[in-house]
């Protein structure tokens, strides 16, 4: 590792630890936790009895096992795993964006925005879930896809990710696409099969050996779908969908052509699978948060536009800071105990979104002017 990489590694870890610490102690609360934490705590207390837990929790064994192995009280163990996972995710996300050709400034600013996104805030509010370690594996796997790592390393990471949460299985089509781009004597189909055979066997074993009324659990889930769909169309649910990434959703759409070939097109089926979870789950923000390895790097191109279009150093800094805080502000959700008033949250989200739209509009005016000048030069 070069001196530059070592310094970058150290600086990012230091700053992200400070930010996650601030969010943990001042912006979030762990009171009245009502999600699935009780099940994960039971699994951490007795990992060998995982099969007694309902579907789909029984296959999410990795986080509870790690907590079980830690030489400390279970609640503290979950919090440490969450804290470390989020910080390592931020670090890998930075290098993923660098691998895509984004500047260090844009990559770092988007890492900060990620730490204030719904997935991170929710994980620090309820650190007893499998989500943080899943974020870590997703960021690592997308980085490995772009980097073109060996099939053995990829298979090991996919196996670990699958043992933590079944969401990793959504990457099967993506892995085929990226493997098909590598030269090999074996066909892409065969290589994809070899990479996934162990993760899939592990997933099937945890779910079906021994049997634990999987069919009954599945039937119960199907019966809940009508109620879940009604829950999705409420005002609060729609607000949660937007605040998952806030105005970063908008910047993702505006810059989607920049990452189409490397990120979006190879992972279109992964996106569809993530969106399909909204049919079964009521926690929309958590489900959509797994799209962060695609949304965050794509939206980062807006910072690149700002860096390129504002030549004056002071204006560039002002606009970058405004864009950073506006994106963070647009992600404010009900988990932010530092802003308890609901209508104040709505106001800040709307105001922040407007600021982001104005900056994006200015960036594109600048681009249009530059394009016209270039055309005039060619004509003359």
């Amino acid at each position: 590792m070069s001196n530059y990489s070592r310094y970058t590694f150290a600086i990012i870890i230091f700053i992200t630890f400070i930010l996650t610490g601030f969010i943990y102690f001042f912006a979030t609360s762990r009171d009245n936790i009502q999600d699935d934490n009780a099940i994960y705590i039971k699994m951490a207390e007795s990992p060998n009895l995982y099969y007694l837990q309902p579907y789909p929790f029984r296959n999410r064994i990795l986080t509870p096992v790690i907590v079980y192995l830690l030489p400390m009280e279970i609640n503290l163990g979950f919090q440490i795993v969450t804290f470390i996972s989020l910080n390592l995710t931020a670090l890998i996300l930075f290098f993923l964006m660098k691998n895509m050709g984004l500047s260090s400034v844009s990559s770092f600013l988007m890492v900060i925005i990620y730490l204030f996104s719904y997935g991170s805030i929710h994980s620090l509010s309820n650190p007893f879930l499998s989500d943080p370690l899943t974020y870590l594996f997703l960021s690592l796997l997308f980085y490995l896809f772009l980097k073109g790592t060996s099939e053995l390393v990829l298979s090991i990471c996919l196996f670990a990710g699958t043992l933590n949460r079944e969401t990793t299985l959504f990457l099967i089509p993506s892995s085929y696409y990226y493997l098909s781009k590598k030269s090999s004597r074996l066909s892409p189909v065969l290589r994809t099969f070899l990479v996934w055979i162990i993760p899939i066997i592990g997933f099937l074993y945890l779910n079906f050996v021994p049997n634990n009324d999987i069919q009954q659990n599945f039937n119960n889930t199907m019966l809940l779908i009508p109620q879940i769909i009604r829950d999705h169309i409420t005002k609060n649910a729609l607000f949660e969908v937007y605040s998952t990434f806030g105005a970063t959703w908008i910047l993702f759409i505006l810059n989607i052509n920049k990452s189409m070939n490397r990120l979006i097109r190879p992972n279109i089926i992964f996106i569809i699978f993530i969106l399909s979870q909204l049919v079964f789950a009521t926690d929309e923000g958590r489900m959509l948060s797994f799209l962060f390895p695609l949304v965050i790097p794509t939206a980062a191109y807006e910072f690149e536009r700002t860096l390129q279009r504002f030549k004056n150093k002071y204006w560039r800094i002002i606009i970058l800071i405004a864009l950073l805080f506006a994106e963070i502000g647009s992600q404010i959700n009900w988990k932010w105990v530092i802003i308890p008033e609901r209508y104040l949250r709505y106001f800040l989200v709307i105001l922040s979104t407007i600021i982001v739209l104005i900056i994006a509009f200015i960036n594109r005016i600048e681009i249009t002017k530059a394009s016209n000048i270039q055309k005039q030069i060619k004509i003359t």
Side-chain angles (χ1 to χ4, degrees):
M1 183 182 291
S2 65
N3 288 334
Y4 172 78
S5 298
R6 283 196 293 267
Y7 291 143
T8 303
F9 181 96
I11 292 171
I12 293 174
I13 285 293
F14 175 73
I15 295 177
T16 56
F17 261 79
I18 291 176
L19 287 175
T20 48
F22 170 80
I23 296 169
Y24 182 86
F25 289 108
F26 299 105
T28 58
S29 170
R30 278 136 299 281
D31 297 332
N32 301 319
I33 298 175
Q34 299 177 349
D35 287 324
D36 311 319
N37 57 302
I39 296 175
Y40 290 109
I41 290 174
K42 287 181 182 178
M43 293 174 70
E45 292 172 341
S46 304
N48 58 314
L49 299 179
Y50 71 91
Y51 57 86
L52 298 179
Q53 305 307 323
Y55 177 85
F57 301 100
R58 58 186 290 167
N59 64 270
R60 302 173 183 177
I61 191 67
L62 185 58
T63 294
V65 167
I66 292 175
V67 172
Y68 173 79
L69 294 174
L70 291 176
M72 59 192 65
E73 190 263 338
I74 285 178
N75 285 5
L76 179 59
F78 270 107
Q79 294 177 67
I80 288 176
V81 170
T82 294
F83 201 78
I84 293 176
S85 296
L86 290 176
N87 281 276
L88 290 179
T89 300
L91 179 68
I92 296 172
L93 190 59
F94 174 85
F95 286 109
L96 186 155
M97 288 186 279
K98 288 289 293 178
N99 186 268
M100 292 177 60
L102 290 158
S103 67
S104 297
V105 173
S106 298
S107 302
F108 179 68
L109 292 176
M110 287 309 299
V111 162
I112 296 176
I113 290 169
Y114 159 73
L115 289 175
F116 283 92
S117 67
Y118 185 91
S120 177
I121 294 290
H122 187 280
S123 295
L124 291 169
S125 300
N126 183 2
F128 305 100
L129 304 172
S130 64
D131 298 9
L133 199 57
T134 299
Y135 297 147
L136 175 58
F137 282 117
L138 285 177
S139 60
L140 178 60
L141 286 165
F142 276 102
Y143 176 77
L144 294 176
F145 284 154
L146 294 179
K147 198 77 173 175
T149 190
S150 69
E151 282 81 353
L152 177 60
V153 173
L154 197 58
S155 183
I156 293 172
C157 293
L158 289 169
F159 177 65
T162 303
L163 293 187
N164 194 65
R165 190 182 174 93
E166 67 282 354
T167 306
T168 308
L169 293 171
F170 295 165
L171 290 173
I172 293 177
S174 303
S175 62
Y176 169 79
Y177 179 92
Y178 287 110
L179 288 171
S180 67
K181 298 299 179 180
K182 293 178 60 179
S183 58
S184 174
R185 290 178 297 178
L186 301 177
S187 69
V189 173
L190 180 56
R191 279 183 288 154
T192 304
F193 173 79
L194 294 174
V195 162
W196 278 100
I197 184 63
I198 294 178
I200 290 176
I201 289 175
F203 173 77
L204 294 176
Y205 177 86
L206 290 174
N207 276 285
F208 297 102
V209 183
N211 195 321
N212 187 39
D213 297 328
I214 296 296
Q215 186 62 48
Q216 183 60 44
N217 283 315
F218 180 78
N219 291 340
N220 291 340
T221 301
M222 294 299 104
L223 292 174
L224 289 173
I225 287 180
Q227 178 61 43
I228 292 172
I229 292 175
R230 287 195 296 272
D231 291 341
H232 285 328
I233 59 177
T234 65
K235 181 175 64 175
N236 289 338
L238 294 175
F239 179 72
E240 186 170 319
V241 167
Y242 180 74
S243 64
T244 304
F245 296 109
T248 305
W249 283 122
I250 299 172
L251 299 184
F252 167 72
I253 295 171
L254 291 177
N255 294 283
I256 200 168
N257 63 307
K258 297 284 187 178
S259 62
M260 179 61 70
N261 292 330
R262 297 197 69 188
L263 272 185
I264 306 305
R265 188 176 288 114
N267 297 291
I268 190 67
I269 298 179
F270 173 78
I271 295 173
I272 293 172
F273 282 155
I274 293 295
L275 294 177
S276 69
Q277 291 184 109
L278 296 179
V279 177
F280 303 95
T282 54
D283 199 340
E284 297 85 358
R286 280 181 62 198
M287 298 303 105
L288 292 173
S289 68
F290 295 116
L291 291 172
F292 81 93
L294 305 177
V295 174
I296 296 295
T298 302
Y301 283 103
E302 195 64 36
F303 283 103
E304 292 292 292
R305 288 178 182 269
T306 304
L307 287 169
Q308 294 169 7
R309 299 308 171 189
F310 288 88
K311 303 304 180 182
N312 183 283
K313 178 175 63 176
Y314 300 106
W315 271 111
R316 184 188 300 171
I317 293 173
I318 291 171
I319 297 299
L320 286 175
I321 293 175
L323 186 57
L324 170 67
F325 280 95
E327 283 199 61
I328 292 174
S330 68
Q331 296 178 143
I332 294 173
N333 56 73
W334 64 280
K335 289 288 185 180
W336 286 53
V337 297
I338 198 172
I339 307 176
E341 176 56 47
R342 182 177 61 177
Y343 291 105
L344 177 59
R345 292 199 298 266
Y346 290 160
F347 171 76
L348 290 174
V349 168
I350 294 171
L351 177 62
S352 299
T353 299
I354 292 173
I355 293 173
V356 170
L357 288 172
I358 291 173
I359 293 174
F361 178 71
I362 293 172
N363 281 342
R364 278 151 185 80
I365 289 178
E366 293 290 329
I367 292 171
T368 304
K369 287 181 179 179
S371 300
N372 291 337
I373 292 173
Q374 290 178 356
K375 288 178 182 178
Q376 290 177 2
I377 293 174
K378 288 181 180 179
I379 292 173
T380 55

